[in-house]
Amino acid sequence: MNTVTLALIFLFGFFLQGFCQNGTRPNIVMVMSDAFDGRLTFDPGSKVVQLPYINYLRELGSTFLSAYTNSPICCPSRAAMWSGQFVHLTHSWNNYKCLDRNVTTWMDLLEANGYLTKMIGKLDYTSGSHSVSNRVEAWTRDVQFLLRQEGRPVAQLVGNMSTVRVMKKDWKNTGKAAQWLRQRAASPHQPFALYVGLNLPHPYKTVSLGPTAGGSTFQTSPYWLKKVSHDIISVPKWLPVSAMHPVDYYSTYTKNCSGVFTEDEIKNIRAFYYAMCAEADAMLGQIISALRETGLLNNTVVIFTADHGELAMEHRQFYKMSMFEGSSHVPLLVMGPGLMSGLQVSQLVSLVDLYPTVLDLAGIPAVLNLSGHSLLPLLSKSTGLSKTTRPDWVLSEYHGCNANASTYMLRSGQWKYITYADGLSVCPQLFDLKQDKDELHNVALRFPDVQAQLDKKLRSIVDYSEVSTAVHLYNKKTFGDWRDSLGRNYTMVIANLRWHVDWQRDAIANERAIDKWLYGSV
């Protein structure tokens, strides 16, 4: 942000500070969890696990029934939320390549306009984070080999009925946030904005697989497991392997889910995941309780959301990195002064909408070139707000690991259109979510007119062929630079990443496949 712009923002901030003295600008608290399936925040999904504080937000605030991530993986999704821009505009291609550290977030604008701000817990939106394995797997996704990159998903029980704090780091951060709120109550004359980032219900790292292992362990205690209604846990329907879309099969294989799973295993993984959601809900509750106990709740907007969902063995997969509902559908609940209660909002929305929404709540003029639109007209009791027509679609895109093609999803009405543009002959997918909630029937060939219409709309939003080409070039150049930087250590390092079991079965062939990808011949 240039100096002139900053100066104007600060001047406007001093003007607005007069309003906050009278308490007309609300406090803003956002709690963002990791890997929380948005379908659990409304019926029938909400019946499978007890989530009392999400239900509290449902009753006193508004629930978005069709909220989506703009990229179903941690860092790019959060980059979209913090910047208010689609990931192809910020080049947030994977968990390693996201926003520059000097990007202007909505939190920066709140601070520049008189808000006291605090961010606690998981942020994860700037470049440079995550494991070497994670980034190398993303860079090499077009290499013609198929290697398992994750541990097989497992459920692990810890502690006993008195074990409440399983994810101790999250509880520690939640406690810090609650304490910070109590301190704010002592000086109520300045509005504040608090962001709390949780790791839960993201699966835990599978320690037994060594230092490069990913998170394939669904871990909880009997205390939280008791919150789950085991008798109504569904066992997802799977397509036969032979009928799977090639990109979905690649994801299934690299996520180590192509083997045999018993029905008990699948239900167990899902039960443990739901129990982890219950623990995350309790952390949200600690924040709400601190606001209520200090008297701050009456002048605070509370937002609960997540970066993406969790497949939890739907479509023969766990984790995210997919446009299926379990992965791409996120929770979004908003409660606060002047906002409607008990409202269920059916309009399609996505995480880029949070940037303009927060600015709208704080009375800050809209920023240019945002990808999203304020949600306030959908939520406010006021009839004076502009009812600007919202787009009837949402966009999500994915360019990272565990998928061997850049993936683009356009959701519009009853339709979900998924297409690919990586120089591969990969057929698109079209799902009628009204008739096929399980997303098992690709009807692209049955409805060519719908496919053509949605593809035209998608191309008007993003030139996805051009974006995919840019990702290709980035992957090759960045991998080549990384390889050169290792010198003689390269062969050892690449052989011992998360895919080491499969890699070492034929290391020479895998090296040749990479050379062919990089140079076109070997």
Side-chain angles (χ1 to χ4, degrees), residues 37 64 66 118 137 181 195 205 236 256 294 319 403 414 456 483 499 512-513:
D37 184 345
F64 286 86
S66 301
K118 183 70 172 179
E137 291 156 8
L181 289 171
Y195 170 88
K205 183 176 179 179
N256 206 352
T294 56
Y319 247 5
Q414 72 198 69
K456 182 179 180 181
R483 175 175 172 166
W499 55 30
R512 285 176 178 166

Side-chain angles (χ1 to χ4, degrees), residues 326-342:
S327 168
S328 64
H329 199 140
V330 297
L332 181 56
L333 300 100
V334 185
M335 176 187 77
L339 304 182
M340 287 185 273
S341 300

Side-chain angles (χ1 to χ4, degrees), residues 396-424:
S396 190
E397 56 191 290
Y398 184 69
H399 309 284
C401 60
N402 292 112
N404 59 340
S406 279
T407 307
Y408 305 85
M409 183 270 278
L410 188 72
R411 174 76 206 279
S412 181
Q414 72 198 69
W415 302 105
K416 178 186 286 189
Y417 177 58
I418 306 170
T419 192
Y420 308 86
D422 275 69
L424 301 172

Side-chain angles (χ1 to χ4, degrees), residues 369-384:
N369 301 318
L370 293 181
S371 300
H373 299 76
S374 174
L375 302 173
L376 199 53
L378 302 177
L379 304 174
S380 178
K381 295 176 182 176
S382 171
T383 57

Side-chain angles (χ1 to χ4, degrees), residues 417-476:
Y417 177 58
I418 306 170
T419 192
Y420 308 86
D422 275 69
L424 301 172
S425 180
V426 179
C427 60
Q429 293 167 290
L430 180 66
F431 297 105
D432 181 348
L433 297 187
K434 188 175 181 181
Q435 303 295 328
D436 179 25
K437 295 186 186 304
D438 294 325
E439 298 172 286
L440 295 173
H441 305 286
N442 179 10
V443 294
L445 295 179
R446 285 180 53 199
F447 297 97
D449 292 345
V450 174
Q451 179 191 328
Q453 179 186 357
L454 293 174
D455 192 74
K456 182 179 180 181
K457 170 59 72 175
L458 178 60
R459 289 179 185 275
S460 73
I461 300 164
V462 53
D463 185 339
Y464 62 79
S465 296
E466 183 178 293
V467 171
S468 296
T469 298
V471 176
H472 272 303
L473 294 173
Y474 159 82
N475 283 341
K476 283 191 176 184

